[in-house]
Amino acid sequence: PSSIFHLPSSPAMRFALALGLWSLLCIGATEAWYRSHETNQAPTAVWWAHFPTNLPSAREIPISKLARSKLKYDQGTTLSWEEPGGSQWSAFCFRWNAGVATSRMSARDHRPEYCLGGSGYNCQADFGIRYLPAHGLELPFRTYIFERSGVVLYVFHCIWEDGAAKQKGFGTSKYLDRLETVLEGKRRLGQQTLEIIVSGYAGMEEAEAAFRQRLPSLIQLGAAPDKIVSLDQPSRR
């Protein structure tokens, strides 16, 4: 008796069928992997930047259209100012809302090595993650020293992830971060970064002490306002 289901007689057609079935299996397994992890997301504290806009020296740092198109953030605020002792501060806070499949990659691709490296600064030191306290939170800041033509910058860069039981901060590279993303089954999570760049200090120890003291005043608990940094002005970064 003849079979109801006939396999394609051509080798090319059989290969195409096998490839299609394998692709469907991979898609189904991938979706099952991520969904199994999405049911275990932890509640996360919500906070946003609170920069000192009342200082006479305070100036918004414009973000160019090109930078905005690369960062793809949903909300952002920036400010530069001078502290009473003469030190210079620049601050950037960006948020990527939950729901976009690439939000985590976009947030973790925003790293000082690329932003400052593209401006001609060389990374002199990477001190890894330091957890700094503010408003009952432990914020994971990766700390760096950058230098260009004698100008030394002390950089504190934090990434905060919605739904994370423990905030791990940035890994040593964006590629390791992406691998960890897959292994932990994370996607479409809300992300935000806070980057503070300071200069005018004698060394990292002095700069970090000043930053630790200033940090609680630079953030506030609560959601970000519905604001996006202007795209129509040239970037000064």
Side-chain angles (χ1 to χ4, degrees):
S2 61
S3 172
I4 297 177
F5 177 72
H6 297 277
L7 289 175
S9 57
S10 165
M13 293 180 66
R14 287 199 295 269
F15 175 76
L17 176 62
L19 183 61
L21 292 174
W22 175 253
S23 298
L24 290 174
L25 178 62
C26 290
I27 292 172
T30 300
E31 188 66 20
W33 173 259
Y34 282 109
R35 289 197 177 191
S36 68
H37 288 79
E38 288 169 350
T39 59
N40 300 318
Q41 293 180 14
T44 310
V46 178
W47 58 270
W48 187 241
H50 182 63
F51 298 153
T53 55
N54 60 320
L55 292 179
S57 59
R59 298 289 184 274
E60 183 181 287
I61 303 171
I63 302 296
S64 69
K65 288 184 178 180
L66 177 60
R68 173 69 173 86
S69 66
K70 289 182 177 180
L71 291 173
K72 300 177 182 178
Y73 59 85
D74 295 292
Q75 294 165 299
T77 185
T78 68
L79 198 74
S80 68
W81 70 92
E82 182 178 314
E83 290 286 299
S87 59
Q88 303 292 324
W89 292 58
S90 297
F92 306 81
C93 191
F94 301 117
R95 177 163 180 82
W96 292 260
N97 293 333
V100 180
T102 58
S103 62
R104 195 171 196 269
M105 287 190 294
S106 296
R108 290 180 179 269
D109 285 354
H110 169 46
R111 302 175 65 97
E113 301 96 302
Y114 307 131
C115 300
L116 291 173
S119 299
Y121 284 90
N122 296 311
C123 184
Q124 301 295 308
D126 178 347
F127 297 97
I129 299 295
R130 298 182 181 181
Y131 286 87
L132 305 183
H135 303 294
L137 307 176
E138 292 291 327
L139 300 169
F141 281 92
R142 197 169 194 96
T143 57
Y144 308 81
I145 296 178
F146 284 83
E147 185 273 339
R148 184 185 70 181
S149 302
V151 177
V152 179
L153 303 179
Y154 304 97
V155 181
F156 304 87
H157 197 105
C158 169
I159 186 165
W160 187 266
E161 181 177 272
D162 295 353
K166 177 177 174 57
Q167 299 292 336
K168 296 181 179 180
F170 276 107
T172 54
S173 76
K174 71 176 183 179
Y175 303 107
L176 291 177
D177 274 351
R178 288 181 179 180
L179 177 60
E180 186 178 82
T181 295
V182 175
L183 295 178
E184 294 183 355
K186 294 180 178 179
R187 63 174 180 176
R188 301 193 180 100
L189 298 178
Q191 311 275 316
Q192 64 190 56
T193 59
L194 174 63
E195 180 174 297
I196 309 293
I197 302 173
V198 302
S199 62
Y201 291 97
M204 173 54 83
E205 185 176 350
E206 183 179 318
E208 184 176 330
F211 178 64
R212 283 177 177 269
Q213 184 178 20
R214 193 63 153 113
L215 178 59
S217 69
L218 297 180
I219 69 169
Q220 61 184 0
L221 297 179
D226 186 17
K227 177 185 177 184
I228 295 181
V229 173
S230 171
L231 308 181
D232 300 325
Q233 303 178 59
S235 174
R236 284 188 253 165
R237 190 174 178 189

